Amino acid sequence: MKNTHHDIPPALVQALHAAQRVVVFTGAGVSAESGIATFRDALTGLWSRFDAQALATPEAFRAHPDIVWGWYEWRRAQALRATPNAAHHAIAELARHVPELTVVTQNVDDLHERAGSTGVAHLHGSLHAPRCSACAAPQTCANEAPDEPGEGRRIPPPACTVCGAPVRPGVVWFGESLPGDAWSAALRAAEQCDLLFSIGTSALVYPAAELPQRALAAGATVVQINPAVTPLDKQAHCNLHGLAADVMPRVVA
Ligand code: BV8
Ligand code: ZN
């Protein structure tokens, strides 16, 4: 690595050079500069009478399938149009600088993969992998490049090709368990790393928000990158208050 880490604390540069195992834990803020609304900002139009946490539940899908499906189709269209930003690229590049890097994301887009990261643990599923709400059969997305559905448009979910029940988004809703393989890989990586970056997440949603705590408890250095203050500020060894796409390229430089 060249010595061009402008404004990055020397102790962090040192920790990065010494690290054997690094975890990058990301949230919606990493995709913000790609034009994807963060989770707590993704409500406009019809959806603004809900809070995101109320819409992202099995109960909401049962009560208002067309509102919930419409919201996810709007978000899927946004994700399809977006491209990875400098933060996604820097994270993919970081894998070439450290012996072992695990990317763990709460995001339901695929921008880490499109930037070149591999083996990404998706704790909260994907916008691009719908499945049947009854028999769980994987379903294909209706249209590879839908027109941007209008903000607040109701869209009835399609019927399962196997049993006819409504198709649901392939994401993890509140009250649902995380995919076991992704969660155990994330937990193992957090407990075994020497350095964890928590980037662009409000650190409010559990069990995902446990990961930085587990890393701290295991003796790792924890670095947070976020323009805002989060509950993690008090515990992190280093808080870089800035935009992920500005800060990450300087960390990796
Ligand atoms: C579970 C997928 C076991 C869908 C999401 C108390 C009461 C009630 C419930 C609970 C409770 N305590 C714990 C719970 C359980 C609950 C929970 O944690 N609730 C909290 C909120 C109180 N958790 C669950 O239910 C989980 N499952 O526990 O299973 C179980 C089983 C049965 C019964 C009970 C329990 C499942 C949670 C999964 C929810 N699914 N997403 C979808 O996307 O629609 S969560 C949602 O939050 C997001 O999608 C994301 O995945 C997650 C975290 O959000 P963030 O990514 O952090 O985004 P956010 O908008 O919040 O913040 C953006 C941040 O970026 C901000 O800090 C901002 O400053 C920053 N930022 C902005 N721009 C930039 C930036 N940073 C850097 N650069 C920038 N440019
Ligand atoms: Zn089915």
Side-chain angles (χ1 to χ4, degrees), residues 25 183 187 190-191 193 196 198 202-220 222 224 230-237:
F25 171 55
W183 176 243
L187 207 51
E191 285 174 340
C193 72
L196 179 143
S198 180
S202 55
L204 294 172
V205 175
Y206 283 83
E210 261 180 48
L211 294 172
Q213 322 284 344
R214 297 291 190 109
L216 283 167
V222 169
Q224 180 175 228
T230 79
L232 189 60
D233 275 63
K234 287 198 195 74
Q235 293 153 292
H237 294 94

Side-chain angles (χ1 to χ4, degrees), residues 16-31:
L16 186 55
H17 281 156
Q20 295 296 308
R21 292 173 170 161
V22 177
V23 170
V24 171
F25 171 55
T26 66
V30 160
S31 296

Side-chain angles (χ1 to χ4, degrees), residues 132-137 139 160-165:
C132 175
S133 61
C135 76
Q139 304 287 308
C160 170
T161 51
V162 178
C163 78

Side-chain angles (χ1 to χ4, degrees), residues 4-247:
T4 52
H5 310 274
H6 300 296
D7 304 325
I8 301 300
L12 169 55
V13 176
Q14 231 164 43
L16 186 55
H17 281 156
Q20 295 296 308
R21 292 173 170 161
V22 177
V23 170
V24 171
F25 171 55
T26 66
V30 160
S31 296
E33 287 154 279
S34 294
I36 298 183
T38 63
F39 184 67
R40 283 162 182 86
D41 292 327
L43 294 167
T44 53
L46 171 65
W47 307 303
S48 59
R49 34 190 193 90
F50 297 86
D51 72 55
Q53 229 159 285
L55 221 42
T57 62
E59 293 75 21
F61 184 66
R62 273 196 297 275
H64 314 286
D66 52 347
I67 294 179
V68 173
W69 184 258
W71 187 50
Y72 281 97
E73 281 296 89
W74 173 70
R75 291 174 58 199
R76 185 169 73 89
Q78 220 179 34
L80 285 171
R81 273 152 215 267
T83 52
N85 65 53
H88 298 103
H89 288 299
I91 292 164
E93 172 72 16
L94 185 57
R96 290 189 272 275
H97 293 276
V98 297
E100 200 178 309
L101 180 103
T102 308
V103 179
V104 178
T105 190
Q106 301 166 86
N107 295 345
V108 291
D109 63 51
D110 61 352
L111 295 182
H112 282 302
E113 285 85 351
R114 280 156 60 194
S117 288
T118 54
V120 180
H122 278 270
L123 299 181
H124 294 161
S126 165
L127 290 171
H128 309 290
R131 66 172 186 273
C132 175
S133 61
C135 76
Q139 304 287 308
T140 48
C141 294
N143 183 336
E144 279 314 294
D147 291 337
E148 182 89 42
E151 292 186 354
R153 170 126 61 95
R154 294 171 192 258
I155 305 175
C160 170
T161 51
V162 178
C163 78
V167 172
R168 59 161 285 173
V171 302
V172 180
W173 281 326
F174 286 97
E176 294 184 324
S177 309
L178 274 50
D181 47 353
W183 176 243
S184 48
L187 207 51
R188 199 168 49 243
E191 285 174 340
Q192 294 178 353
C193 72
D194 351 82
L195 178 60
L196 179 143
F197 290 94
S198 180
I199 312 175
T201 174
S202 55
L204 294 172
V205 175
Y206 283 83
E210 261 180 48
L211 294 172
Q213 322 284 344
R214 297 291 190 109
L216 283 167
T221 299
V222 169
V223 177
Q224 180 175 228
I225 297 165
N226 196 313
V229 171
T230 79
L232 189 60
D233 275 63
K234 287 198 195 74
Q235 293 153 292
H237 294 94
C238 173
N239 291 294
L240 302 173
H241 288 294
L243 304 178
D246 286 340
V247 177

